[in-house]
Amino acid sequence: MEIVSQTADRSSQREDEAARNGAAVSPRRLLGALREVALVATRAHTPSEVALVAATQVARLLECDDAVVRWWNAKRDRLELLADTRPDRSGRAGDIASGEGAVGIAFASASPVIVEDYARWAHQVSSSIAVGSGVAVPLLLQDSAVGALAIYSRQSRRYKETEVQLLLLFAAQVAPVIEAALLRITSQRETSRVEASDRQLRDMLDAALDAHIVMDRHGRITEWNAQAEAMFGWRRDEVVGKELADTLIPPALRDAHRTALGHYLTTGDGPILNRRVELEALRKNGITFPVELTVAPIGTAEGPAFSAFLRDISERRQVDEQLRRLALHDALTGLPNRILLYDRAEQAFEVAKRSKSSVALLLMDLDGFKDINDAYGHHVGDVLLQEVAIRLRTGLRASDTVARLGGDEFAILLPDSDETRALAMAKMLRVALDTPITIEGVRMPIASSVGISLFPAHGEDPLTLLRRADIAMYAAKRRGAGVALYEEGSDLEGAARLGLASDLRDALKEGQLRLSFQPVIDLRADRVCIMEALARWEHPRLGQVAPTEFIALAERTGLMSQLSSWALKAALNKSREWAQRGIAVAVNMAVSDLSDSAFPDRVRAAVEEAGVAPAVLHLEVTESGVMSEPERILTCLERLRDIGVRLAIDDFGTGSSSLAYLHRLPIHACKIDRSFVRRLTTEASSVAIVRATIELAHALELRVIAEGVEDAETLEVLRGMGCDLAQGYFISEPLADSATEAWLAASSWAGAGT
């Protein structure tokens, strides 16, 4: 292989990481591209038609700008141009000699030629069209070069080894296809070789993952592969010769099909031709199912015909529907989540503005829920939350919305409701929870506190109303009243809450907070690769304060910046001890951090002060946090990415990030929420969601971390799905700082005993 020039640092960080992770074009896409070439080869009238499809397909496959195919004419001793996708025809070279330009060198040497920067290439180019870089490979038949295939990019760039190997593989498959087309079209070679090549093409179509059907101009089926038999239930001898409309199309769509066919034959206009469309198809047993269809017109000796590839997308539709529902609903209770609540609130506010009415927003949490979780386990807590969701829905109007915001927090949106109705509904909902719930033979009483805010009196957007309902809810807890309406100028948390805020401020100054670390393992290497830092606070009077409580308190009282700075500095100081072992440190970020334009500068300063590489630091933010202010947070994440730190989405699947938005984020990994991982060995829906999430993340070149792994069976299922990283109590519980070295010395995950 000849590499004729180098360009420095032209690949992005993400390309480097993708290369390290072995990202490549999927076999399905490669087969699809080869299938298109094979199909044209069976019907083409000139070899250039086949070559042009091959050039177009490989350019799309490798995401380059253009491609060229040349074929050797032994009589003229020249490489003839069969196809060139470049739009500028004036600068194209016609026929070239062996050894001329990158294409000629690839042909003459029977090996790849990589030109990373044509401006610096010492060899003579064979075309005056300006290109930045390219790769040329020989087209080989029985180890002899018969032509060459080249791809071009308009910018100079590096080509990964996987790209070159894929181009070689494509060329190896396309060469006999072009040869077969040449043999059939020119009739210059023996008949047996033509038949063997045609048989190879038909075998490729029969081996395709999709159903392949050919229909003539009269609407009759003329070709039918093995996958079509499996998909529709008709044998080839049963269906060839039948009218496609009466056989495969649901009755309601048959007239439209016949009309469209007639319109195309008359005008040449076919709206669905050469496009990927989704529609309903009909099996032999009369059951309809969704398919993805790609259909193209082809020429035959008998006149125009149509070649179609169909894929059964029933399973994909189910997974898509589950993903859409999960994007807007809580996975545990099935209730709307925060984003769907916000959307419905905005709609209710618009209606209220027009009708000059009010809207009530109630925020409820369960008193003592943490104690139930601690005493009986999370599975009991989950059952309790599901029962609460059922009870809260009872008695509400169809226009009302009950949403779960996370943990034991629920919100109730009441359109067209004033203070009187809101107070009455709050009391009714608390009464609905009065009857104890029996779980595993234990009667569990449910107490709750409710805060109320009103639109437009207390705010004109969902975030403001939710925040003020939260203030009212803590006032209800403080007073022991159970229900409270927001009061203008009311104390944010009450005297006791502000007292704890003062204690937290002192704790940050006096170094009372500590970090614990939970190991994250690489499932391929079976070694720890990340330690996630988790803040802990041992209050001198109250004992251990729950992280959810003091972190929320820091958010409400403006201490989050100090808490984040402390956590960053402490974690990075610890990372110095682990960096040589290849262990990174992960720190969680708050939404307020990402909304602070100074946060990236604080991160840069902390990394420089610790004297470690930026990539040692992994920062995590929750999915719902990212979606709270998407554009502002995107800017912050891009600045963090530019510093060189690694970024991850935490609790993926519990928020509402759209796939269209997710691919814009400059992140390196996503963490699948424990609620899906915990049910991985018991619920088929969780298996489908986790598998789809892993495939989606890998398609976006993201690593996948599964959290909440509690047993060996779950770990092996994740490993089989291709999950990259995992953490959970099966691997290790969070470790005090002082215990991490002992664990690293003793645990097999850290290489002990190997």
Side-chain angles (χ1 to χ4, degrees):
M1 181 184 297
E2 179 184 3
I3 299 182
V4 295
S5 67
Q6 299 290 331
T7 57
D9 299 325
R10 294 185 181 272
S11 296
S12 68
Q13 226 174 29
R14 181 165 297 223
E15 287 173 335
D16 291 337
E17 183 171 341
R20 289 195 299 271
N21 292 337
V25 173
S26 70
R28 184 182 296 272
R29 286 187 60 203
L30 175 60
L31 180 59
L34 293 171
R35 180 185 63 205
E36 296 295 327
V37 179
L39 177 61
V40 171
T42 63
R43 303 292 185 185
H45 297 293
T46 67
S48 292
E49 291 177 44
V50 184
L52 183 59
V53 172
T56 302
Q57 290 294 328
V58 78
R60 291 176 181 169
L61 194 67
L62 290 171
E63 297 182 353
C64 57
D65 295 315
D66 297 294
V68 167
V69 178
R70 291 185 177 276
W71 199 261
W72 180 248
N73 187 322
K75 292 182 178 180
R76 299 179 57 238
D77 202 30
R78 305 288 286 178
L79 276 168
E80 296 181 342
L81 179 66
L82 285 188
D84 190 337
T85 66
R86 292 174 292 185
D88 184 2
R89 298 177 181 272
S90 61
R92 293 180 182 175
D95 300 342
I96 63 174
S98 174
E100 181 180 350
V103 174
I105 295 172
F107 171 78
S109 64
S111 62
V113 175
I114 304 171
V115 182
E116 295 176 344
D117 191 344
Y118 266 105
R120 302 181 183 181
W121 194 36
H123 297 255
Q124 179 183 359
V125 298
S126 60
S127 169
S128 63
I129 298 177
V131 293
S133 60
V135 180
V137 298
L139 294 170
L140 302 173
L141 285 176
Q142 298 179 350
D143 297 327
S144 297
V146 294
L149 169 66
I151 59 172
Y152 298 105
S153 295
R154 298 189 183 107
Q155 303 296 324
S156 60
R157 54 163 289 196
R158 292 179 179 174
Y159 292 88
K160 295 178 284 190
E161 179 65 21
T162 52
E163 294 176 306
V164 177
Q165 292 301 320
L166 182 64
L167 185 59
L168 284 166
L169 178 59
F170 186 88
Q173 296 296 317
V174 162
V177 174
I178 297 177
E179 171 74 357
L182 281 165
L183 292 175
R184 190 186 64 256
I185 295 167
T186 61
S187 299
Q188 293 177 348
R189 302 286 176 88
E190 63 273 16
T191 302
S192 60
R193 190 172 179 185
V194 173
E195 291 176 347
S197 298
D198 282 343
R199 190 162 52 251
Q200 178 184 4
L201 297 178
R202 294 188 180 279
D203 288 345
M204 183 183 297
L205 290 174
D206 274 337
L209 298 176
D210 298 340
H212 176 237
I213 301 170
V214 176
M215 179 187 76
D216 66 16
R217 63 178 298 165
H218 304 293
R220 294 188 296 260
I221 298 169
T222 61
E223 294 291 343
W224 185 264
N225 74 347
Q227 284 297 324
E229 291 189 359
M231 183 181 297
F232 290 96
W234 295 95
R235 296 193 314 273
R236 189 178 191 280
D237 60 339
E238 292 178 312
V239 79
V240 169
K242 286 190 174 183
E243 189 174 347
L244 184 142
D246 293 335
T247 310
L248 308 181
I249 297 178
L253 304 176
R254 288 171 185 170
D255 288 344
H257 165 78
R258 292 187 177 101
T259 300
L261 176 59
H263 179 73
Y264 173 78
L265 293 174
T266 303
T267 66
D269 177 33
I272 72 167
L273 296 179
N274 300 309
R275 293 176 52 208
R276 188 173 296 171
V277 296
E278 294 183 6
L279 44 76
E280 295 296 311
L282 184 68
R283 300 191 201 275
K284 183 180 180 181
N285 59 12
I287 296 176
T288 60
F289 66 106
V291 296
E292 183 180 86
L293 167 71
T294 305
V295 59
I298 57 176
T300 69
E302 294 76 26
F306 305 89
S307 172
F309 286 91
L310 300 96
R311 178 175 304 170
D312 186 342
I313 58 173
S314 302
E315 183 177 350
R316 190 178 79 192
R317 282 268 184 94
Q318 293 173 359
V319 173
D320 287 347
E321 181 58 35
Q322 288 176 319
L323 288 172
R324 281 193 293 270
R325 177 169 178 79
L326 284 171
L328 296 173
H329 291 80
D330 172 55
L332 178 64
T333 64
L335 293 176
N337 64 10
R338 186 183 298 266
I339 297 302
L340 183 52
L341 172 71
Y342 287 175
D343 180 68
R344 292 184 180 176
E346 293 284 6
Q347 295 178 41
F349 296 166
E350 289 301 317
V351 173
K353 288 177 184 177
R354 292 194 295 269
S355 62
K356 300 188 183 307
S357 60
S358 59
V359 179
L361 183 63
L362 282 57
L363 184 65
M364 169 189 284
D365 79 357
L366 308 181
D367 300 335
F369 178 74
K370 180 180 181 299
D371 295 335
I372 293 174
N373 259 348
D374 292 344
Y376 299 103
H378 288 282
H379 67 289
V380 171
D382 288 350
V383 174
L384 186 145
L385 290 172
Q386 290 168 339
E387 177 63 24
V388 168
I390 293 171
R391 294 189 185 185
L392 291 179
R393 281 191 293 244
T394 304
L396 294 180
R397 303 169 301 182
S399 59
D400 299 334
T401 297
V402 181
R404 182 182 176 224
L405 305 184
D408 62 336
E409 278 195 338
F410 296 84
I412 301 93
L413 181 71
L414 305 174
D416 193 21
S417 297
D418 57 13
E419 176 181 337
T420 301
R421 183 172 188 273
L423 288 168
M425 288 300 299
K427 292 174 182 177
M428 186 201 79
L429 292 171
R430 293 189 74 239
V431 170
L433 300 181
D434 277 349
T435 303
I437 297 174
T438 300
I439 304 174
E440 297 184 355
V442 179
R443 282 170 56 85
M444 299 179 185
I446 308 173
S448 62
S449 300
V450 181
I452 303 171
S453 60
L454 298 172
F455 170 91
H458 301 147
E460 297 188 357
D461 64 86
L463 283 173
T464 300
L465 284 179
L466 196 61
R467 186 172 65 250
R468 291 182 169 173
D470 183 57
I471 293 170
M473 183 180 71
Y474 277 104
K477 288 179 180 291
R478 187 171 64 250
R479 299 168 188 168
V483 178
L485 181 71
Y486 174 76
E487 299 174 1
E488 291 291 343
S490 62
D491 192 326
L492 179 65
E493 294 286 349
R497 189 61 56 176
L498 285 179
L500 190 59
S502 178
D503 291 345
L504 178 59
R505 186 176 288 105
D506 292 340
L508 286 166
K509 290 179 180 178
E510 297 168 10
Q512 294 177 8
L513 274 66
R514 297 288 182 268
L515 287 180
S516 291
F517 296 89
Q518 187 171 36
V520 180
I521 64 166
D522 185 320
L523 289 178
R524 292 184 181 178
D526 276 339
R527 296 288 295 272
V528 60
C529 59
I530 302 171
M531 296 290 263
E532 182 178 5
L534 305 167
R536 297 292 184 261
W537 182 18
E538 184 74 19
H539 192 281
R541 297 190 318 276
L542 304 176
Q544 194 71 240
V545 180
T548 53
E549 185 173 0
F550 71 77
I551 290 173
L553 180 63
E555 286 270 22
R556 294 187 181 99
T557 55
L559 293 174
M560 198 65 230
S561 175
Q562 296 178 47
L563 180 58
S564 297
S565 295
W566 166 81
L568 274 172
K569 183 176 181 180
L572 286 168
N573 286 341
K574 189 67 178 178
S575 72
R576 285 199 297 261
E577 304 173 18
W578 298 329
Q580 291 184 345
R581 304 186 192 183
I583 300 175
V585 64
V587 180
N588 291 282
M589 296 178 288
V591 176
S592 59
D593 291 329
L594 297 178
S595 301
D596 182 0
S597 60
F599 181 69
D601 295 329
R602 296 208 310 272
V603 171
R604 185 193 303 275
V607 169
E608 291 174 354
E609 182 180 351
V612 297
V616 167
L617 177 61
H618 293 216
L619 296 177
E620 299 178 3
V621 61
T622 62
E623 183 184 14
S624 58
V626 168
M627 293 306 297
S628 63
E629 294 183 272
E631 295 305 322
R632 186 171 183 178
I633 286 175
L634 175 61
T635 300
C636 182
L637 292 176
E638 288 173 340
R639 291 178 61 196
L640 290 168
R641 183 269 318 276
D642 293 340
I643 293 171
V645 302
R646 296 288 187 257
L647 302 170
I649 293 292
D650 199 5
D651 297 338
F652 184 76
T654 62
S656 58
S657 57
S658 69
L659 304 187
Y661 181 75
L662 182 63
H663 87 278
R664 295 175 55 198
L665 299 177
I667 58 176
H668 303 85
C670 69
K671 298 183 76 170
I672 303 176
D673 185 66
R674 67 184 70 249
S675 63
F676 301 121
V677 175
R678 193 165 59 242
R679 301 184 184 90
L680 199 53
T681 59
T682 59
E683 292 183 5
S685 60
S686 290
V687 173
I689 295 304
V690 171
R691 179 180 287 114
T693 301
I694 292 172
E695 291 177 355
L696 167 65
H698 286 170
L700 296 175
E701 300 182 356
L702 304 178
R703 303 188 80 190
V704 181
I705 307 168
E707 56 182 352
V709 178
E710 297 181 359
D711 54 63
E713 184 181 2
T714 300
L715 188 70
E716 291 308 312
V717 170
L718 289 165
R719 196 193 307 272
M721 288 181 173
C723 185
D724 304 296
L725 310 169
Q727 70 182 115
Y729 275 60
F730 175 71
I731 299 161
S732 174
E733 62 183 0
L735 303 164
D737 187 356
S738 58
T740 55
E741 288 306 313
W743 185 87
L744 288 170
S747 174
S748 60
W749 302 114
T754 61

